[in-house]
Amino acid sequence: MDYKDYKLSIDLRIDWSDLDMYKHVNNLSFIRFMQTGRALFWEATGLTKIFEEINKGPMVVSTHCDFKKSLYYPGTAIVKTKLAFIKNSSFGLDHVILNENMEVCAEGRDVAVFYDFNTNETYTIPGDLREIMKKY
């Protein structure tokens, strides 16, 4: 499979503490791996900086993960992330989690809304930010 549309990628060392009683990576760890991909997107697009400056930014409203293949220790989880869609005040991120053999172990999607933490309301994604996000 070709992952050229996934502009963001991070390799995560699988830790012994990521395992469950069956000695493979616990389902919750996959969600944490997706969170790392999401944080990478936040940083790459400037969303983290915007939140720190004006207290506005994305709020995750949904996370979904389909498990395809087990991951094991020792090993590496390769998390690839891309913008799935962008609407008026919401957007989605697609994630694929691969093992070191580039086999798909999970596919996931996050949905977030832009939120003004000062007024506790959603708001429209600014046009200039929308263009930056579309690059990923």
Side-chain angles (χ1 to χ4, degrees):
M1 183 172 199
D2 185 9
Y3 299 104
K4 67 179 181 198
D5 291 343
Y6 289 82
K7 305 290 190 230
L8 299 170
S9 182
I10 189 165
D11 293 3
L12 302 174
R13 178 185 174 272
I14 296 172
D15 192 38
W16 185 82
S17 64
D18 293 324
L19 305 182
D20 61 17
M21 66 184 279
Y22 303 115
K23 298 184 181 178
H24 59 67
V25 172
N26 184 288
N27 294 354
L28 184 57
S29 295
F30 281 86
I31 300 299
R32 190 173 44 80
F33 296 161
M34 289 172 41
Q35 180 183 25
T36 301
R38 186 169 62 242
L40 189 62
F41 182 84
W42 270 212
E43 292 168 6
T45 57
L47 293 173
T48 302
K49 185 178 180 195
I50 291 169
F51 174 76
E52 291 170 352
E53 292 175 354
I54 63 173
N55 207 33
K56 295 180 180 182
M59 177 189 291
V60 176
V61 295
S62 175
T63 297
H64 177 85
C65 186
D66 291 322
F67 306 100
K68 305 292 186 182
K69 188 176 183 81
S70 295
L71 284 169
Y72 297 94
Y73 172 87
T76 302
I78 303 162
V79 182
K80 296 190 174 289
T81 300
K82 70 175 181 176
L83 182 70
F85 68 85
I86 190 164
K87 296 183 178 179
N88 187 41
S89 62
S90 66
F91 67 95
L93 297 177
D94 281 343
H95 307 279
V96 63
I97 300 172
L98 309 162
N99 62 20
E100 51 274 314
N101 296 322
M102 299 304 285
E103 297 169 315
V104 176
C105 296
E107 296 173 328
R109 177 169 281 185
D110 296 322
V111 177
V113 296
F114 267 72
Y115 198 77
D116 184 335
F117 292 90
N118 304 298
T119 63
N120 294 319
E121 297 177 330
T122 60
Y123 74 98
T124 302
I125 301 169
D128 56 340
L129 182 56
R130 182 181 299 272
E131 293 307 310
I132 292 169
M133 293 171 66
K134 286 180 181 178
K135 294 178 183 177
Y136 296 93

